[in-house]
Amino acid sequence: MDMQTSFLDRLFESGLLIDTGIDGLYGRSGQFEDVIAAFERLIDTFGGSDGAEAMRFPPGMNRAFFEKSGYMKSFPQLAGTVHSFCGSELDHVSLLQCMEVGEDWTKGQEATDIVLTPAACYPLYPTIAKRGNLPKTGGLFDLQSYCFRHEPSKDPARQQLFRMREYVCMGTELHVTDFRQRWMDRGVEMMKAVGLEVTIDVANDPFFGRAGKMLANNQRDQNLKFELLIPITSAANPTACMSFNYHQDAFGTKWGLNLEDGSVAHTACVGFGLERIALALFHHHGLDVKQWPASVRKALWG
Ligand code: ATP
Ligand code: ZN
Ligand code: MG
C-alpha cells in the first residue's frame, strides 16, 4: 500500500483534513487549526523580542508587483492567476450555453489585477520600497499568508493552498545572514521542544526548464537556501517544514530597497510551513492530540 495515500486517508478519516475532491485543497478541522495556532504562539515566543513589524496581507497580490517580481520567469508552473467574467449580457448568454453543454466556459474569462500570492513575502518588498530608505536599524517584518502553488499531489504535505509564516530581514549582508543563522538555530530548538527530530540541509528552488537547472545549481553552490527537514510521508525524503533564504542584494536591487546610507539592502527570509509542521506533529505523536507526550502539550499549550 502506498504510504502517502494511507496517511492522507487517515487524516480524512479522523476529520483533521477535509476532502474537497481536489488533491492539495483541503478543509481543516478545529483541532488542526488549534495546533497551528499553538505553534504560531511558539513562534511568537521565539521571535517576539526581536521587535519585528507585523503585517498581514490577503492571499492575493497586486498583479503588477507579481509581474515585476519575475515569478513567471522562474516558476511559471506554480503560479495561479485570478480571472473574472467581464463581458456583456450577450457574452453571459453564451457563457451559460457553454456550461450547459459542458464546453470550456473559462476561455472568455479575463485576467483581473490580482494574482494568488505564491509566498508570504512577495507583497512586502514593494510595500517597504514605497516608504523610502530603511532606518539605520534595517527592517524586520513578521508575515503570514495563505499561499497558492499549482502542485497538486496526494502527499498531504504538498498542498495547493497552504499557510506560510515568515520573518523577513533587510539590512547589510552581515545583518541578514546573522538573522538567517539565528532562525536556523531557533528552528532546531523549537522542533526539539515539540518532540520532532530534524535535519538541516542545503536546498534549491524548483526553477523551471533547462536554464532553471543552472539557477538551482548556483543557488546550492552559494548556500543561498537551507531547509529544515522532518520525515512526514517518507523517511528517505523528509519534508521541508522551514526554509531559510538569503537573496543577497537581488530583491534590494529589483525593488529599490536602500539602507539609510543609500546602499542597496540585502534581504533574507525564513518561512514556516504551518500545515507541514502540524502534519509532522500528527504523524509523529498520533492523530489524537490528547495522547501527545506531556512535554509536547506543555510546549504548545502551556
Ligand atoms: P519543497 O521543496 O517541499 O517544494 P519549497 O522549497 O518549495 O518546498 P519554499 O518555497 O521555501 O518551499 O516555501 C517556504 C515553506 O513553505 C517551506 O519550507 C514549506 O514548509 C512550505 N511549503 C512550500 N510548498 C508547500 C506546499 N505545496 N504545501 C505545504 N507547504 C508548503
Ligand atoms: Zn520569503
Ligand atoms: Mg516547492
Side-chain angles (χ1 to χ4, degrees):
M1 195 175 63
D2 180 45
M3 288 308 287
Q4 286 183 193
T5 313
S6 127
F7 186 46
L8 182 58
D9 285 342
R10 283 169 57 223
L11 290 161
F12 286 159
E13 278 159 27
S14 66
L16 286 165
L17 291 186
I18 303 159
D19 192 0
T20 67
I22 304 292
D23 290 341
L25 183 73
Y26 309 120
R28 294 97 163 89
S29 72
Q31 180 64 265
F32 192 91
E33 289 302 291
D34 193 33
V35 169
I36 287 192
F39 194 85
E40 283 213 82
R41 285 194 299 272
L42 189 63
I43 298 173
D44 295 336
T45 316
F46 275 78
S49 57
D50 298 347
E53 177 181 344
M55 280 186 220
R56 295 293 180 264
F57 291 94
M61 65 178 286
N62 184 330
R63 177 158 63 93
F65 293 157
F66 173 84
E67 287 164 2
K68 181 164 172 178
S69 78
Y71 197 81
M72 291 308 280
K73 281 193 194 130
S74 299
F75 314 110
Q77 76 281 18
L78 298 176
T81 53
V82 178
H83 283 63
S84 282
F85 171 76
C86 306
S88 64
E89 280 189 61
L90 204 61
D91 296 325
H92 184 217
V93 171
S94 38
L95 170 94
L96 293 181
Q97 263 163 5
C98 235
M99 291 185 95
E100 188 76 36
V101 298
E103 276 173 15
D104 181 7
W105 60 273
T106 64
K107 282 204 286 273
Q109 298 283 100
E110 287 177 34
T112 67
D113 291 333
I114 296 174
V115 298
L116 297 175
T117 305
C121 63
Y122 271 64
L124 179 73
Y125 307 105
T127 303
I128 301 309
K130 217 163 62 183
R131 290 182 179 174
N133 285 7
L134 286 157
K136 198 183 176 107
T137 48
L140 182 63
F141 306 94
D142 163 354
L143 307 168
Q144 197 253 54
S145 177
Y146 257 102
C147 298
F148 175 86
R149 293 183 186 179
H150 185 235
E151 45 185 0
S153 167
K154 294 277 183 206
D155 177 353
R158 187 167 299 285
Q159 304 190 359
Q160 300 200 62
L161 274 160
F162 59 94
R163 275 159 292 176
M164 207 185 281
R165 175 79 181 266
E166 278 200 51
Y167 285 99
V168 181
C169 184
M170 303 174 180
T172 61
E173 168 166 14
L174 185 64
H175 180 149
V176 308
T177 51
D178 275 356
F179 154 87
R180 183 171 74 150
Q181 184 58 51
R182 183 161 352 107
W183 274 108
M184 280 201 254
D185 298 340
R186 284 174 175 173
V188 175
E189 209 184 319
M190 289 172 73
M191 298 306 175
K192 198 169 159 205
V194 295
L196 296 172
E197 290 270 353
V198 310
T199 52
I200 288 197
D201 205 355
V202 64
N204 63 268
D205 288 311
F207 295 102
F208 186 75
R210 224 175 321 149
K213 287 240 158 49
M214 276 166 55
L215 293 173
N217 287 337
N218 179 52
Q219 191 182 27
R220 270 179 183 270
D221 292 346
Q222 296 191 261
N223 286 344
L224 298 183
K225 185 182 183 84
F226 288 95
E227 288 177 339
L228 179 150
L229 305 157
I230 308 176
I232 301 180
T233 37
S234 152
N237 293 303
T239 301
C241 291
M242 287 185 73
S243 59
F244 312 88
N245 307 290
Y246 172 39
H247 316 123
Q248 299 169 306
D249 62 358
F251 288 1
T253 302
K254 177 178 296 291
W255 294 108
L257 292 163
N258 296 316
L259 303 180
E260 201 188 33
D261 65 4
S263 64
V264 179
H266 285 235
T267 62
C269 67
V270 305
F272 296 82
L274 296 176
E275 282 76 12
R276 286 186 177 181
I277 292 167
L279 290 168
L281 288 165
F282 284 113
H283 185 259
H284 285 265
H285 303 313
L287 300 188
D288 183 359
V289 170
K290 293 193 289 298
Q291 305 288 320
W292 288 7
S295 62
V296 175
R297 293 176 55 84
K298 185 155 185 294
L300 288 171
W301 288 283

